[in-house]
Amino acid sequence: MPRIIALLAAATLATVVTPPSAAHAGPPGGEPDGNLAPITAPVAPAGVETATSAAGISSASAAASAGQHPAAAAPAGQQSAAAAPAGQHPAAAASVPPPDDPIAERLTAALLAAGEAPAGFTPQTDAVDDLFARIPAEIAACGTGARVPAGTVYREYVRGPGEEELLVETLAEPGADAARAAVTKIAGVLPACTSFTRAAGEVPADMGFALSAYPLAPAIGDASAAVSFVMTVPTLKLTVKGRLLAAAAGKTYVTVMLMSEADPKVADLEAAARAAVTKVS
């Protein structure tokens, strides 16, 4: 889904910049409930390169890796950091598991690697923003300012061009009870919450979410829940269809989400979710 990432990232990165010293800063807007922490963007396994795309996903990600982040506005007249020179791959992720954090390191190692995601998906190693990884938490909270839970790691995977799709996996280890509670929260979103809007902020455009049932969702792990959604960005004339699977696997909370401008390939999402749960079980 290069178009989705490129359009949203371009809208963000065209106007903001963050110095390198802020690479490990917390998410924009602070930590409203005291239970959140910066998301960790994992480094790819040895031998995995960042995928490139004519639609612009690589250039947007490279700009982020060069030091940009939507947390702070650029000084007047200052341009965003340049993308990597032509022919070069974007840099590796700037945000890595904190030192002396064995849980984060273990979770990062458990994320799906190249060859473990459904055929054709390539891990993106330079994603440093939680623009998409926070969507499961936002759905669970019906958009009430939720951010990525503390201790979460994530990885994005893209497949295209032609069939341009984005797969996002998140892993956290809150404990067995908390993992099941997180699944229960996703399961209880409908019918009370059918829509919400992420107001313009670090991304200078409103993002609307319409929620609906996920027909025939599979049972995965110790407990699981699923929801379908449509994300719209009116100012960018962008409409994206998505499906989310959340599961508890022992002490681990797993979410896998597939987004596409066409209908998401449900079989691939479910295969990825099963593989993710198997890897942490």
Side-chain angles (χ1 to χ4, degrees), residues 62-63 66 68 80-84:
Q68 294 180 347
S80 60

Side-chain angles (χ1 to χ4, degrees), residues 95-116:
S95 180
V96 298
D100 303 320
D101 188 343
I103 294 177
E105 291 177 0
R106 176 162 41 79
L107 289 175
T108 298
L111 288 163
L112 297 178
E116 295 177 327

